[in-house]
Amino acid sequence: MRNLKRASAFLLAFLLAGMMSLTAFAAVEDTGFSDVDATVWYADAVEYCRERGWMAGTSATTFSPEGTLTRAQLVTVLYRVEGEPAVTGDDSFTDTEPGRWYSNAVLWASQQGLVNGYGNGLFGTNDHVTQEHLTLIFQRYTEAAVTEGIPGFDGSRSPATRAQTAAALMAYAQSQGQQPAQGEADSMVLLPGGTFTMGSPVSERLREADETSHQVTVSSFYIDPYEVTQADYERVMGENPSHFNGADLPVDSVTWYDAIEYCNKLSVSRGLTPAYTVSGETVTWNRAANGYRLPTEAEWEYAARGGTTSEFYTGGFISAEEANYYGNYPYLIEENYVNHTNPNVVTGVYRNTTVQGNTLAPNGFQLYNMLGNVSEWVFDCYGEYDLTNAANPTGAESGHLRVNRGGAYNDFAKHLRCAYRSAANPISSDQNLGFRIARNAAPGQGTVQAAYDLNITIPNNPKILVAYFSSSGNTENAAQIIQQKTGGDLFEIEMANPYTGALYQQSQQDLYAGTRPALRTHVENMDQYDVVLLGYPTWWATIPMPVVSFLEEYDFSGKTVINFSSHGGGRFGESVSLLSKEVPDAYVGFGFGFHYSGGSTLSDEISHWLGQNGISEIS
């Protein structure tokens, strides 16, 4: 802990005079809060504390300057100012609880002699801070009379407002003759650690087999309340790869490696120790580093749930007014598509684009767009949960897929469930992929490796199979063009008992029941093919079940499998993730999605897609 008694009286007088001048003019142009005008006397102080993560607003857009802090909140703020030093032991108060968000701060403050409680073992956790309390605590904290000269502050038993507290904090920090390290806590949210149930119960509708329910404990960590924006990304990386255009929109079309690089560059720019070392395709995480990083999959789910245990942080259902997804397809629409028997299954707007961070309401932890908008990369390699590792799990040490979570603007609600796991090639840069950042609240131990474990390349003059399932002819037409361009063998996946009539509804019944329909056609010698170009219509945001039958009939180990998909607006949905899981020992390349028939540009777009995947066209 730095020396708390070293302020100069001359410097203090200078600072206080400057503070008083704020009644006439504030230096900031925008405080970030709708209830803090840039011209009020406390505007600079509010902005100063907000930028350093010492005091957040009472909502995404409000600071509540006339509101008050509780005693637990005040010592937590001071603890943040000190960089949250490690503490050991227990406090002596009877009205505090171990493991709460304030626990370390109360222990630190009592050990430093800043708070003594009321006597009789009481701390007064939820009591509001008075001006008298604030003066006394700051007198113990520093010789600088940081509360003097603050408008409306007389040291009485009147409540100390949040604006007055912010002013005292700025005066204290500046009286030390130094600026706190940029990014020490930023505007990130500190989530107290805890134990929660990760995954989904077997009773959860439309759950996947890889969502095994198990108890997990995570330590406290910081997480950004917003997804990384395009402005954030361009400022750090010098470029903006996004498909959608808007400085305040989340960055999209980023690979997992892009997200890793962003974290490291942001850390360096703010004087922090980078969390990651990158060597080729292997990334090693130094868990003791204080720099920015991706949340682990366990941290992400803990944050997304916001203290809830239901399918969504909104309960058993989520609406398009609560999350940005393909609103035409709410949760359980599959069984209510024709006959609307469930009043909770209500269709909503499909925005077909991402939205700004605070457009929709946050979850219980005040985190925005944890579900929907862009699907967020996390650190973990995809694989089965390690049920033996319950404390701060980090996924497998190697794998060729990386997890992304939360679903996106073009996903069905079933893929926004808190437990749903999406897996993708780490060099995928789809327009529904983004990320948010996290930081340690306290140094961890050791290192964790995420190595890429697949060594599959397309040989010269590969043997290609163009396999497709088609109902209306759109996918068949694309398959024929692809066959002509590549010279591959053309194979139609045909059902023994084809769908007739209402194909969409019939396919839904097979999907809902997990049925693998029998096929009439079969590939005679799958072993001869190096590359399988697999076509299908995207139905119900995933792969039609006849294609699943096809995938499960053969061994695709060592092959390259690349999808092409016709769709009605949702692009691939989660079909690429399902494909990746179905062929775990194959390399899944960059997919190609086209709207219905694809139009007049289809042939050119197919050529571009083939080139992107390193497949040459025949001359």
Side-chain angles (χ1 to χ4, degrees):
M1 180 175 178
R2 59 172 168 261
N3 183 357
L4 301 179
K5 302 280 188 179
R6 58 184 176 160
S8 131
F10 173 79
L11 178 59
L12 176 62
F14 173 80
L15 290 167
L16 291 176
M19 183 183 296
M20 292 303 296
S21 71
L22 293 177
T23 57
F25 176 75
V28 293
E29 295 181 0
D30 182 4
T31 64
F33 297 111
S34 60
D35 57 354
V36 180
D37 188 89
T39 61
V40 296
W41 66 265
Y42 49 82
D44 272 342
V46 169
E47 175 69 2
Y48 190 93
C49 293
R50 184 187 68 82
E51 287 182 342
R52 287 153 182 80
W54 296 347
M55 291 182 68
T58 53
S59 76
T61 58
T62 59
F63 183 77
S64 302
E66 297 303 316
T68 61
L69 293 175
T70 65
R71 286 164 59 84
Q73 289 171 333
L74 177 60
V75 295
T76 299
V77 168
L78 296 177
Y79 187 54
R80 290 173 183 165
V81 172
E82 288 302 316
E84 299 185 322
V87 291
T88 58
D90 298 304
D91 65 56
S92 59
F93 303 114
T94 60
D95 59 344
T96 59
E97 299 178 25
R100 296 296 302 278
W101 56 269
Y102 55 76
S103 298
N104 285 349
V106 170
L107 177 58
W108 167 81
S110 63
Q111 290 176 342
Q112 298 299 324
L114 299 180
V115 290
N116 297 321
Y118 291 144
N120 299 321
L122 298 177
F123 175 77
T125 307
N126 296 318
D127 291 354
H128 291 289
V129 175
T130 66
Q131 295 185 19
E132 182 182 36
H133 288 155
L134 194 66
T135 300
L136 179 59
I137 290 174
F138 267 107
Q139 284 175 350
R140 295 169 178 167
Y141 193 46
T142 175
E143 290 179 352
V146 295
T147 58
E148 290 186 4
I150 295 176
F153 197 97
D154 58 11
S156 68
R157 295 186 179 181
S158 300
T161 67
R162 289 169 54 84
Q164 291 168 337
T165 304
L169 287 166
M170 184 176 75
Y172 163 73
Q174 294 180 340
S175 73
Q176 305 308 299
Q178 63 180 19
Q179 295 288 341
Q182 177 66 25
E184 182 62 31
D186 302 326
S187 58
M188 303 176 85
V189 174
L190 175 62
L191 295 189
T195 299
F196 76 108
T197 301
M198 187 174 183
S200 61
V202 294
S203 59
E204 186 163 309
R205 309 295 294 279
L206 299 179
R207 75 187 293 268
E208 302 287 342
D210 59 2
E211 299 172 14
T212 306
S213 179
H214 60 296
Q215 292 289 296
V216 168
T217 299
V218 295
S219 299
S220 299
F221 64 100
Y222 286 105
I223 190 166
D224 200 313
Y226 303 104
E227 294 160 331
V228 173
T229 68
Q230 294 177 31
D232 295 332
Y233 192 87
E234 188 167 5
R235 187 163 47 246
V236 173
M237 303 290 281
E239 61 180 5
N240 181 7
S242 301
H243 171 79
F244 299 107
N245 184 30
D248 295 328
L249 295 178
V251 67
D252 65 65
S253 307
V254 289
T255 71
W256 183 83
Y257 290 105
D258 290 336
I260 293 292
E261 183 181 5
Y262 174 89
C263 290
N264 275 357
K265 285 189 173 182
L266 182 62
S267 298
V268 170
S269 73
R270 295 186 173 178
L272 302 173
T273 302
Y276 303 119
T277 300
V278 182
S279 178
E281 295 176 320
T282 298
V283 173
T284 302
W285 171 23
N286 173 12
R287 301 192 71 171
N290 64 354
Y292 299 95
R293 58 178 178 82
L294 297 178
T296 65
E297 188 175 10
E299 288 173 334
W300 186 94
E301 186 170 328
Y302 178 75
R305 289 189 176 280
T308 67
T309 60
S310 49
E311 290 87 342
F312 311 93
Y313 56 69
T314 54
F317 292 87
I318 194 165
S319 73
E321 285 71 44
E322 295 168 316
N324 182 26
Y325 70 98
Y326 203 149
N328 297 343
Y329 294 89
Y331 187 46
L332 302 186
I333 184 64
E334 290 84 353
E335 63 187 48
N336 292 271
Y337 190 70
V338 177
N339 299 311
H340 299 282
T341 59
N342 191 330
N344 293 308
V345 181
V346 179
T347 58
V349 63
Y350 177 33
R351 298 175 179 87
N352 201 22
T353 183
T354 56
V355 297
Q356 293 182 11
N358 61 358
T359 302
L360 304 170
N363 72 358
F365 287 159
Q366 297 302 296
L367 307 177
Y368 292 82
N369 294 307
M370 291 299 296
L371 305 180
N373 217 29
V374 290
S375 192
E376 300 174 10
W377 288 114
V378 297
F379 176 75
D380 301 43
C381 296
Y382 174 77
E384 291 184 5
Y385 286 137
D386 181 359
L387 303 183
T388 65
N389 182 16
N392 295 312
T394 56
E397 289 193 354
S398 64
H400 60 282
L401 302 173
R402 299 292 179 269
V403 178
N404 57 89
R405 288 293 215 114
Y409 72 93
N410 63 321
D411 279 316
F412 286 17
K414 63 185 176 183
H415 295 133
L416 269 63
R417 292 178 301 107
C418 291
Y420 179 73
R421 310 173 70 200
S422 185
N425 187 325
I427 60 173
S428 296
S429 56
D430 197 73
Q431 66 194 50
N432 67 347
L433 284 171
F435 65 106
R436 77 178 65 222
I437 55 176
R439 283 185 66 216
N440 291 342
Q445 295 182 343
T447 60
V448 178
Q449 192 175 84
Y452 188 82
D453 66 354
L454 208 59
N455 185 23
I456 297 174
T457 57
I458 298 176
N460 294 327
N461 302 313
K463 184 68 172 175
I464 297 174
L465 176 69
V466 183
Y468 70 94
F469 173 76
S470 186
S471 61
S472 64
N474 291 331
T475 308
E476 181 178 33
N477 177 58
Q480 292 172 346
I481 295 173
I482 293 168
Q483 188 277 329
Q484 294 167 5
K485 289 178 179 290
T486 63
D489 294 340
L490 193 64
F491 174 79
E492 182 178 4
I493 302 169
E494 298 183 65
M495 300 173 62
N497 297 297
Y499 295 136
T500 58
L503 306 181
Y504 200 47
Q505 288 88 318
Q506 290 178 0
S507 70
Q508 175 272 325
Q509 292 171 4
D510 279 350
L511 173 66
Y512 212 69
T515 302
R516 272 65 171 169
L519 302 180
R520 187 181 69 81
T521 54
H522 306 276
V523 178
E524 291 185 3
N525 181 14
M526 181 64 78
D527 290 344
Q528 66 180 306
Y529 296 106
D530 304 298
V531 176
V532 178
L533 304 179
L534 180 64
Y536 52 83
T538 300
W539 286 346
W540 301 100
T542 191
I543 295 174
M545 294 308 292
V547 181
V548 176
S549 297
F550 170 81
L551 291 171
E552 294 181 354
E553 185 174 343
Y554 308 100
D555 181 6
F556 291 89
S557 299
K559 302 183 187 300
T560 295
V561 181
I562 313 171
N563 74 300
F564 59 98
S565 172
S566 60
H567 64 85
R571 305 189 70 249
F572 302 124
E574 282 296 299
S575 68
V576 179
S577 176
L578 177 60
L579 172 61
S580 300
K581 296 175 185 180
E582 285 285 344
V583 291
D585 297 316
Y587 174 79
V588 177
F590 305 118
F592 169 54
F594 52 99
H595 192 247
Y596 291 121
S597 67
S600 61
T601 62
L602 180 63
S603 180
D604 289 342
E605 291 176 357
I606 286 175
S607 292
H608 174 77
W609 166 65
L610 292 172
Q612 186 183 26
N613 282 285
I615 298 176
S616 300
E617 297 186 37
I618 59 176
S619 55

